[in-house]
Amino acid sequence: MRELKIVAVVVAFSVLTYYLVEPYAHHEMHKQVDAQGVEIKVESHGFTYDGSDDIAEAERKGDVALAQKKKAFWAEVADISKLKGDAAVGEAGFALCLGCHTDTGTNLGGVVPPSLEHAGRIYDKNYLIALLKDPAMASNVNHKYADTLLHPMGSIASMMSDKQQIADVVAYLLEKKAGEVTPEEAYDEACMRCHALRYANITQLGKTPSFKQEKDALAHKIKVLDEQDAIKAYMGKLPPDLSMIIRARGEHFMETFIENPQSQLAGTSMPRVGLNHEGYEKVKEYLTEAGDPSKKAREDLGPWVIGFFVLFALLAFLWKKHQWRELH
Amino acid sequence: MAHFEKANSLGEWFEQRIGLSTLNRVLNTEYWIPKDINFLWAMGMLLAATFGLLVISGIFLLMYYKPDSNLAFDSVNYTIMSQVGYGWLWRHIHGVGASIIFLVIYIHMFTGIYYGSYKRGRELIWLSGMALFVAFSAEAFSGYMLPWGQMSYWAGMVITNLFSGGSLEAYGLVEWIRGDYVPGDAFLTRFFMLHVLLLPLAIIGLIVFHFGALRLPHVNNQQGAEIDFKEAAELYKAGKKKESKVIPFSPVFLSKDVFVMGVYFILFFYLVFYNFEFAMDPVNFDPADGLKTPAHIYPEWYFLWSYEILRPFGKDVGLVAFGIAQLALFFLPFIDRSPNVAPAHKRGLFVVWFWVLIIDMIVLTAMGKLPPTDPTFALIGKLAAWTFLALGPILVLITSFEKKIGKGA
């Protein structure tokens, strides 16, 4: 039928245009290529960490020595990962951590050391091992530090050099610091010390309390500004507020960026956070709550509205048939 | 003062005062439309319906939107999207509607071109339609500024910069348009005014004119056939509906329109709920930041073809080419020299010209978004831009030689 042929032509041209300006153009725009012009596939590793990205990055830069160093580092991490850690022994080692990770919101060396309350739940085991060995290497931000010791947590190297001791501390975290975690707690521990979330009333110092007196509110604001200045001095710029990030970036970007910030933003001062799959899901849930709270309502209402118009079109079709029955 | 009897019913009361039944007859039941049409003739109705949805959703959004560069982003993304009941629904309808209305506009335009519905008495329909296209473009652009995200800001920067006129360096004009050296609060507030007052007024006026211009020349039909509407209408009214070449607007033509509209709204709301990113660019969910240029700045899809006519050339040539592209389609009724009002496939070379135009505009659209740093894309874009500019003179040539189609063909 002639009319259906016209529909087919209109649909075909519309779909072609859509394909070209949306999936195809966006793929081309965000394509990363190496020095030889070969496309670099940026892929998620399911929130597990073995340093393969970091080594590949060093190799692409042509820095053979660095690549070797990273290979050796992550091989050692894999070795430690095979050791059987003793949580009871690890508790003593963990006491060292509490020297800085005080949960009091005190800035040390540029940022507030994060709470470790759910560290065993939301971070990957290999990442935790790597972090205890060399925080700059684990976070893939070694380019920021000429000497690892300059990292705010760099002193860990002199505190915990024994492989078994690292395995024990990690075993302790995985056993004792692995309780149920809420999306908000996951965000607080993994992201908040750098990233404000104003739609959830969160600054780098946590949830902003309500104040009766304006001057108390202002005093708090000054504290927040001071903290932000310290972070700015340490990171080079104030990390962005994440209120709308869930709508501003796609799923693939979020996953690969959180696994390895360097993969999407080469040279960034943001460290790898080391979230495991559960940790990422929790953080994502919280970011969705802040930036896209209508997602569920949208998905629930959609079928009803579309169903209504299917029915509407059906009835309209019958009406049209009726109106046109005597015309031909 | 005319003589008025006492009315016996409310209907009669209105009848005496504004002649409801006459109005209904003139606008609906005896407004004659050719019978030989297809669903493409419903695009005008889809446009009216979508414009209606945009107005309604716009009114709801207007109740919470704050035209202030410090508040705009959060009033949209926080207040409307998360604090106001169904605010997200109105915003998604508004965003998707603004984008999809251009798809329907393009289909409507190309339908007019294909069937030759822009000449021999229908010039004013075409011209007012093109004016509507321009007004809608301005409406879309000004609306795009309002969420005050990264794309709003940078699109505003790029487009207002065009007014510096290349080597003319008319920066004074650019500042006058912006009300500032860079897009800022004055800029946002004036585009808000344009978006919610001046441009909608112009659009409504133009729509009325567009409908009015349709009245005497009547709607075209699939064969471009000349119809004696008076005679055909008498035939229809006499009950010879099969023989008559016309149908009344209401309810016969309307029933088909409503059906097409139903199918259209299935697609429309699928996009509103599940696939809106093509219309609500993720980049625009980053707040405007004058110190951080996005890696890629591109307009919405419906401006890409003209953007690609601007982009491949140097700044002066590009501006001239861009200006020509914006105006070229206005002149269609006057550069098409053919005596025929007929569908393209009956007009010899014209049908080739038509499909080349469609494909060229799709190529331009695609290249307008792809990064021009890639030499292949840049070359394809440049060739497509030249093709577009050449299509005008070529149309004059091929239509000058077009033979008159004999009656009954």
Side-chain angles (χ1 to χ4, degrees), chain B residues 45-352:
Chain B
M45 190 60 105
L46 296 195
L47 287 172
T50 313
F51 180 64
L53 264 183
L54 284 167
V55 171
I56 294 167
S57 54
I59 287 172
F60 280 98
L61 294 173
L62 197 47
M63 290 188 222
Y64 292 95
Y65 176 74
K66 302 248 188 295
D68 175 314
S69 58
N70 289 317
L71 305 174
F73 185 86
D74 287 349
S75 75
V76 174
N77 289 307
Y78 181 68
T79 312
I80 290 173
M81 291 298 279
S82 72
Q83 302 298 297
V84 177
Y86 292 99
W88 58 269
L89 180 60
W90 295 119
R91 185 182 180 202
H92 275 218
I93 288 176
H94 205 71
V96 168
S99 188
I100 216 71
I101 202 167
F102 278 91
L103 176 65
V104 188
I105 287 177
Y106 283 127
I107 295 174
H108 194 56
M109 267 168 70
F110 288 129
T111 303
I113 298 177
Y114 189 89
Y115 292 100
S117 315
Y118 48 82
K119 49 187 189 171
R120 306 244 307 187
R122 297 200 176 93
E123 292 87 350
L124 278 181
I125 309 174
W126 178 261
L127 289 174
S128 58
M130 282 306 299
L132 270 169
F133 176 69
V134 172
F136 267 106
S137 299
E139 179 70 358
F141 174 74
S142 57
Y144 199 62
M145 298 299 104
L146 303 188
W148 209 235
Q150 273 288 68
M151 274 298 187
S152 306
Y153 183 92
W154 289 98
M157 182 77 100
V158 171
I159 298 301
T160 46
N161 260 339
L162 292 181
F163 290 90
S164 64
S167 293
L168 294 178
E169 303 196 348
Y171 298 117
L173 178 63
V174 176
E175 281 159 27
W176 180 74
I177 292 168
R178 289 178 184 161
D180 201 341
Y181 300 108
V182 289
D185 202 53
F187 175 91
L188 178 61
T189 315
R190 64 185 55 181
F191 275 92
F192 171 71
M193 179 283 291
L194 287 174
H195 187 72
V196 304
L197 181 70
L198 194 54
L199 291 169
L201 277 181
I203 286 175
I204 291 167
L206 281 167
I207 289 177
V208 171
F209 185 84
H210 194 56
F211 285 173
L214 200 57
R215 193 78 204 186
L216 295 181
H218 277 97
V219 177
N220 196 7
N221 56 72
Q222 277 200 95
Q223 299 303 324
E226 256 185 55
I227 296 173
D228 184 339
F229 278 85
K230 237 183 203 143
E231 193 187 271
E234 289 310 320
L235 221 53
Y236 186 94
K237 281 199 275 191
K240 294 186 173 165
K241 296 184 181 177
K242 272 196 187 65
E243 292 77 15
S244 176
K245 284 185 174 163
V246 297
I247 50 174
F249 174 79
S250 171
V252 181
F253 179 72
L254 196 63
S255 68
K256 185 162 178 157
D257 268 1
V258 169
F259 166 60
V260 177
M261 213 153 70
V263 175
Y264 164 75
F265 277 132
I266 297 172
L267 169 75
F268 183 88
F269 283 100
Y270 159 72
L271 297 172
V272 165
F273 287 103
Y274 300 107
N275 198 350
F276 39 78
E277 283 199 351
F278 77 99
M280 305 173 79
D281 199 293
V283 180
N284 219 25
F285 287 94
D286 278 332
D289 183 347
L291 297 175
K292 201 167 92 186
T293 318
H296 303 276
I297 304 177
Y298 44 83
E300 287 291 278
W301 71 269
Y302 38 85
F303 293 143
L304 287 168
W305 68 269
S306 52
Y307 186 56
E308 187 57 20
I309 291 173
L310 169 78
R311 208 167 64 165
F313 305 107
K315 65 177 176 182
D316 292 325
V317 181
L319 264 182
V320 172
F322 180 70
I324 292 173
Q326 298 312 302
L327 293 175
L329 288 170
F330 267 95
F331 294 105
L332 205 53
F334 311 107
I335 56 177
D336 180 344
R337 313 300 306 159
S338 151
N340 299 312
V341 176
H345 60 264
K346 291 198 171 165
R347 289 179 55 190
L349 278 177
F350 180 77
V351 72
V352 180

Side-chain angles (χ1 to χ4, degrees), chain A:
Chain A
M1 198 176 130
R2 180 186 185 81
E3 204 137 352
L4 288 178
K5 266 195 237 162
I6 302 174
V7 174
V9 171
V10 171
V11 170
F13 277 116
S14 306
V15 170
L16 173 69
T17 308
Y18 173 79
Y19 168 76
L20 288 172
V21 298
E22 279 296 306
Y24 182 65
H26 284 278
H27 172 258
E28 287 297 315
M29 265 189 267
H30 299 118
K31 195 160 80 175
Q32 295 187 26
V33 290
D34 64 14
Q36 279 75 45
V38 182
E39 185 174 354
I40 304 166
K41 287 255 181 286
V42 182
E43 271 159 5
S44 160
H45 304 282
F47 296 94
T48 56
Y49 304 87
D50 62 4
S52 52
D53 271 7
D54 313 26
I55 297 163
E57 274 162 27
E59 280 168 351
R60 271 199 299 274
K61 267 187 244 159
D63 192 336
V64 183
L66 182 65
Q68 285 303 333
K69 202 173 141 196
K70 295 212 168 196
K71 247 183 223 165
F73 173 77
W74 284 99
E76 220 175 314
V77 170
D79 283 346
I80 299 174
S81 182
K82 284 184 206 120
L83 295 177
K84 198 175 152 32
D86 184 337
V89 180
E91 186 167 9
F94 180 70
L96 294 172
C97 306
L98 294 177
C100 295
H101 294 266
T102 57
D103 288 6
T104 54
T106 315
N107 189 307
L108 287 173
V111 286
V112 176
S115 161
L116 299 178
E117 209 35 51
H118 303 90
R121 183 91 182 203
I122 61 175
Y123 302 119
D124 176 68
K125 178 186 170 190
N126 279 0
Y127 174 78
L128 288 171
I129 294 171
L131 193 75
L132 290 174
K133 265 191 69 57
D134 184 336
M137 287 285 261
S139 309
N140 201 16
V141 285
N142 49 291
H143 58 282
K144 289 201 297 186
Y145 309 98
D147 174 353
T148 274
L149 276 175
L150 291 172
H151 189 284
M153 188 175 153
S155 55
I156 191 76
S158 59
M159 294 156 74
M160 236 176 260
S161 48
D162 180 51
K163 288 184 178 181
Q164 185 60 46
Q165 191 188 10
I166 292 177
D168 292 342
V169 172
V170 171
Y172 174 81
L173 289 171
L174 291 175
E175 220 168 277
K176 302 292 180 192
K177 295 290 174 191
E180 244 348 283
V181 61
T182 65
E184 184 176 353
E185 285 165 342
Y187 182 86
D188 285 357
E189 291 176 31
C191 321
M192 182 200 79
R193 63 210 184 102
C194 292
H195 296 282
L197 193 69
R198 66 184 186 284
Y199 292 177
N201 196 24
I202 283 177
T203 70
Q204 283 79 359
L205 293 181
K207 270 246 189 283
T208 305
S210 55
F211 296 99
K212 280 217 177 79
Q213 305 292 334
E214 194 184 351
K215 64 175 187 177
D216 295 336
L218 288 173
H220 181 77
K221 193 164 181 194
I222 289 171
K223 275 208 264 178
V224 171
L225 290 173
D226 283 342
E227 178 61 24
Q228 290 180 343
D229 281 346
I231 296 168
K232 214 183 291 176
Y234 171 57
M235 298 296 284
K237 72 183 272 273
L238 187 67
D241 184 297
L242 297 184
S243 294
M244 284 310 289
I245 205 75
I246 201 78
R247 298 236 9 201
R249 301 291 184 278
E251 184 95 353
H252 177 255
F253 180 96
M254 291 287 277
E255 285 175 5
T256 50
F257 184 76
I258 290 179
E259 269 183 23
N260 179 22
Q262 305 299 327
S263 69
Q264 296 283 5
L265 205 60
T268 180
S269 58
M270 170 164 164
R272 166 187 287 141
V273 183
L275 286 171
N276 60 21
H277 195 263
E278 186 186 356
Y280 169 69
E281 287 298 325
K282 293 281 177 185
V283 168
K284 190 173 94 177
E285 196 181 326
Y286 198 57
L287 290 175
T288 306
E289 230 172 86
D292 194 14
S294 61
K295 190 165 192 280
K296 196 175 167 327
R298 222 162 47 217
E299 281 159 7
D300 289 348
L301 185 61
W304 291 97
V305 174
I306 293 169
F308 170 82
F309 280 103
V310 170
L311 196 67
F312 179 96
L314 216 66
L315 290 174
F317 181 70
L318 295 177
W319 184 40
K320 190 255 161 186
K321 271 255 166 269
H322 174 77
Q323 287 297 339
W324 285 61
R325 72 194 182 285
E326 293 173 347
L327 298 182
H328 288 290

